[in-house]
């Protein structure tokens, strides 16, 4: 797999899965744009890219500030990417949040915030880059979903709805952009050890571990490898799919 000459964007690349994806795409040769909502939020990611490539990818790695839930912020980020990168070949919509709570007590605000970031945010970013990706002739969209978008999850009605919606959005994009050589797929992680899952109690974690046939939690690197494959020429005939990467948890 070789992404030399490709320009990639990873949203929410300051830590966790997004950071691992940015490092993997840079390691495979891509010019990578990383985003965070905070100034300096992707500094550690740029350092990690430098370390993983012995400094080779440092000059082709860039950090930008973007709140994917905010139209103006997405527009400004898209302008900066196309001005510096000259276009876009690979888009990874990874930015995501949770605001868990039982449905009967879930506030409209918590529902809107999660759907606004995870689903509407991905829509805004996809729309901002649809033309450059079509121009690329071999564009790649990878949206980071979740197994709960397929199964639902008690306490995560907002999150599960956003991730299920992402599958419908991705399949529609796959159909509309196929004629322009663009593929669009979802990677649906199971339980991955990141900040997002760090706060779960030991009881919840050990109950979840019992449901994973491969008997370990996933790492951000497990997801990054799958994303790297989907972005490569090797996956050129794969579109509109949801690849579940969960150690067998939901098979
Ligand atoms: P994480 O460690 O909490 O990182 C989330 C990332 O999203 C951060 O880089 C954060 O950036 C960014 N972000 C949050 N709100 C944003 C916004 N409004 N605009 C732009 N960026 C924003 O999460 P993670 O575990 O790596 O998860 C990454 C993705 O995988 C998410 O879509 C998540 O739903 C999905 N996923 C994770 C798991 C898991 O077990 N960890 C399982 C299934 C799916 P800043 O805070 O720096 O702004």
């Amino acid at each position: 797999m070789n992404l030399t000459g490709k320009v990639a964007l990873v949203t929410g690349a300051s830590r966790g899965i997004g950071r691992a994806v940015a490092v993997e795409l840079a390691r495979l040769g891509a010019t990578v744009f990383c985003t965070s909502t905070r100034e300096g939020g992707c500094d550690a990611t740029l350092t990690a890219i430098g370390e993983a490539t012995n400094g080779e990818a440092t000059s082709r790695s860039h950090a930008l500030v973007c709140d994917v839930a905010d139209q103006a912020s997405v527009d400004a980020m898209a302008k900066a990417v196309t001005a510096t990168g000259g276009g876009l070949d690979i888009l990874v919509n990874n930015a995501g949040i949770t605001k868990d709570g039982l449905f009967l007590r879930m506030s409209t605000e918590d529902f809107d915030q999660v759907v606004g970031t995870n689903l509407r945010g991905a829509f805004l970013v996809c729309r901002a880059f649809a033309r450059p990706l079509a121009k690329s002739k071999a564009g790649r969209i990878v949206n980071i979903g979740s197994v709960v978008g397929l199964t639902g999850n008690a306490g995560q009605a907002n999150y599960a709805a956003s991730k299920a919606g992402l599958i419908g959005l991705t399949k529609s994009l796959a159909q509309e952009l196929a004629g322009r050589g663009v593929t669009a797929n979802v990677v649906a992680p199971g339980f991955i050890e990141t900040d997002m899952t760090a706060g779960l109690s030991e009881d919840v974690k050990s109950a979840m571990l019992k449901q994973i046939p491969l008997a370990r939690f996933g790492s951000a690197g497990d997801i990054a490898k799958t994303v790297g494959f989907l972005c490569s020429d090797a996956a050129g005939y794969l579109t509109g799919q949801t690849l579940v990467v969960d150690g067998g948890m939901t098979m």
Side-chain angles (χ1 to χ4, degrees), residues 11-19 35-38 40-42 45 65-70 73-74 93-98 113 116-118 121 143-148 159 162-163 166 187-198 200 218 220 223 245:
T11 66
S14 62
R15 57 181 188 270
I17 292 171
R19 180 190 294 176
T35 81
S36 160
T37 58
R38 295 167 291 117
C42 284
T45 301
V65 172
C66 177
D67 176 354
V68 298
D70 182 86
S73 180
V74 170
N93 280 300
N94 167 79
I97 57 167
T98 53
Q113 256 190 322
T117 301
N118 300 1
N143 291 327
I144 306 299
S146 166
V147 288
V148 309
Y159 184 74
S162 73
K163 296 299 189 181
L166 207 49
V187 171
F191 189 108
I192 310 300
E193 287 187 303
T194 68
D195 289 356
M196 190 176 268
T197 48
L200 295 173
I223 305 305
V245 185

Side-chain angles (χ1 to χ4, degrees), residues 36-122:
S36 160
T37 58
R38 295 167 291 117
E39 200 67 58
C42 284
D43 286 356
T45 301
L46 297 188
T47 303
I49 289 174
E51 284 168 4
T53 63
N54 289 324
E56 185 268 318
T58 302
S59 61
R60 52 181 164 81
S61 307
H62 311 273
L64 293 167
V65 172
C66 177
D67 176 354
V68 298
D70 182 86
Q71 173 82 67
S73 180
V74 170
D75 289 347
M77 180 271 290
K79 216 171 156 187
V81 170
T82 41
T84 310
L88 194 76
D89 305 291
I90 294 166
L91 167 59
V92 182
N93 280 300
N94 167 79
I97 57 167
T98 53
K99 284 201 178 284
D100 298 351
L102 290 175
F103 180 72
L104 285 176
R105 286 191 223 129
M106 187 171 284
S107 68
T108 310
E109 194 185 32
D110 282 356
F111 186 87
D112 286 348
Q113 256 190 322
V114 170
V115 173
T117 301
N118 300 1
L119 180 56
R120 184 175 175 276

